[in-house]
Amino acid sequence: MRDRVSQALALILGLFVFWTAAAGAFEALEQRALFLGLVTTLGFTLYPLGAGTSWRSVGLTVDLALTGVALAACGYIVWNYEAIMGSLPWATNPDIVLTAGLLIAVLELGRRTVGLIFPVLVTLGLAYALLGGSLPGALGHRGFDIAFVTETVFLGDLGIWGMLTGVAATVIAAFVLFGALLLHSGGGQAFMDLAMRLGGRQPGGAAKIATISWGLFGMISGSAVANVATTGNFTIPMMVRLGYPRPFAAAVEAVASTGGQIAPPIMGAAAFVMAEILGIPYVTVMMAAITPAVLFSLAVFVTVHLVAIRRGLAIVPEAELPAWRLILAPRRVLPIVAALGGLGIGIWLGRSVATSAFYGIMGLLIAFVVTQSGKMPARDMARRILEGLVDAGKGLVIIGVLLAGAQVLVSMINLTGIGVMLSSLIVTLAGDSVALVAVVVAIVCLIMGMGLPTTAAYVLVAAVLAPAMTAVGVDPLAAHLFVFYFATISVITPPVCVAVFVGAGIAQTPWTSAAVEAVRLGAVTYVVPFMLLLYPGMIMQGGPLAVAEAAISGLVLVLAIPGLLSGTRMLGHRGFDAAIFVAVIALAIWPHPAGPVAALALLAGAWAFGRRQRAATTLTRTDT
């Protein structure tokens, strides 16, 4: 019974997203309240309290009560929308009760879906707003009573109905639906088959399949844990079966899948939030992320290649690889081309991001029906489309709950001024040095991001830490991308590395061993964000020469750092080779136009010289 209810609710939510993407969203508060009402109702059916226990009846009572109060609160906003937006309402006792009930419902769903850390942080933010007036010194503020906090959180568009919830209810929801329908129309399998064909026959082929698939699959998923759980269930067992060490298999998938969150065009929910915070088009964020995403992918690929050669990792047998004629069949390719083409046309025409996603959805559905007609029964086509709508609805529960809770936390940070105070403290401690501020912010981002989904981690660090970087002269887009990337790679950074946990579980290996491998494989990913600060061309700023300089520097780094860490031989002497790699890395990050070119010349020269030496040695041995 519960499964049928959840399926029906997920379908309703998916249809709601489809309709509002096509016809346009309702008025802001109405759209957000309707969305959150559907999300919370669906959430309590998907994540029931006490399921499978003897006290499920108690859990059912709690679930029904929380669902009822959440629906009442959301319905109250929809019913009183005009009065709320047309005046400055004073909080009454019923308002306070509804606010408390809705917050409890959202935070309890947050606890069930992503763990305890996130709801605790939101609760601390609320407690600080209510009780911080009693604190001494710099941490104290003027104090706010429960009525004022209720008005901020509930009776306006600054609290739970603010920008983050709005992004979740429109742009992110449309792209989640886009990705779900693309996957259910065969896009996910098509991406996996293409990755297998491109990487399978190379050294370490199974690991390279994981590396390639994240770039394809990640474009439509944008979630590290989802990528690991989806592609990892295929790639990790393949790597283990071919003799790859289990920790290495888990680490490759975790690191590669993390890159899905920075891979255009979707880049995960946090990128949409970034565009809203900065007040710039999403396309600008997407374009700025292209070079770092390519460097991330190349870094992981090069590292896997070097490790595969050193360890002698096996290739994938030809019999297990799909044929090119199957991969390039029109019924596999055309829906993907139509989906991405519709998305691109919408953006080119200047439509909103949500409307562009709708164009992509329509292109996908039309191409899917046309290419499958006569090959797949109409009932099966309809079933796949309905499954995509249902999966999209289910996938929006975590996103909706996280962003609604994050919006409450951000509103409390802004209300109390704690974010400005912490940013000023960081700048004071670092002495206005961009390098020191960046290091401090990177460390704090990794710590604050541990145990949190990327979107929630980004929102938190963007509110508190990005202003510290802009205060010392960093470009706002570069600052936000910097904290975004460190919030992203926190999922592979011990001790709380969620993506590694999932990968290790699939590989059936201790997560500690997998985490060590993940840090080694992802070493370059900790360097790429700092390049955003050194080279404006990394985010497509400064003109063609600046972009070329950034690209050369990045290329050299993603070749030299894996070479140094994997002990790659160029001249045949470990000490000399390590010294050359260190010199190359130093030149690549030297903030001078000649640095990257000199680094590339040194690396290419050393490699060419070493190759000639090895060839001469081989020839001599052959003659002998």
Side-chain angles (χ1 to χ4, degrees), residues 465-529:
L465 300 176
M469 301 191 70
T470 57
V472 293
V474 176
D475 178 83
L477 179 55
H480 278 262
L481 283 172
F482 183 90
V483 299
F484 171 55
Y485 288 141
F486 273 105
T488 297
I489 59 181
S490 66
V491 300
I492 61 170
T493 304
V496 186
C497 36
V498 184
V500 174
F501 293 163
V502 177
I506 297 173
Q508 298 180 353
T509 187
W511 72 266
T512 50
S513 302
V516 172
E517 291 279 5
V519 172
R520 183 181 296 118
L521 287 170
V524 179
T525 65
Y526 295 88
V527 178
V528 170

Side-chain angles (χ1 to χ4, degrees), residues 569-571 577 580-581 584 600-612 614:
R569 298 293 182 90
M570 289 192 298
L571 301 181
D577 289 334
I580 290 174
F581 280 128
V584 167
L600 182 61
L602 177 58
L603 182 63
W607 179 80
F609 181 79
R611 185 179 183 183
R612 285 197 300 270
R614 289 189 296 272

Side-chain angles (χ1 to χ4, degrees), residues 363-377:
L364 166 68
L365 293 178
I366 293 171
F368 175 64
V369 172
V370 170
T371 57
Q372 296 296 336
S373 294
K375 299 178 180 178
M376 180 184 296

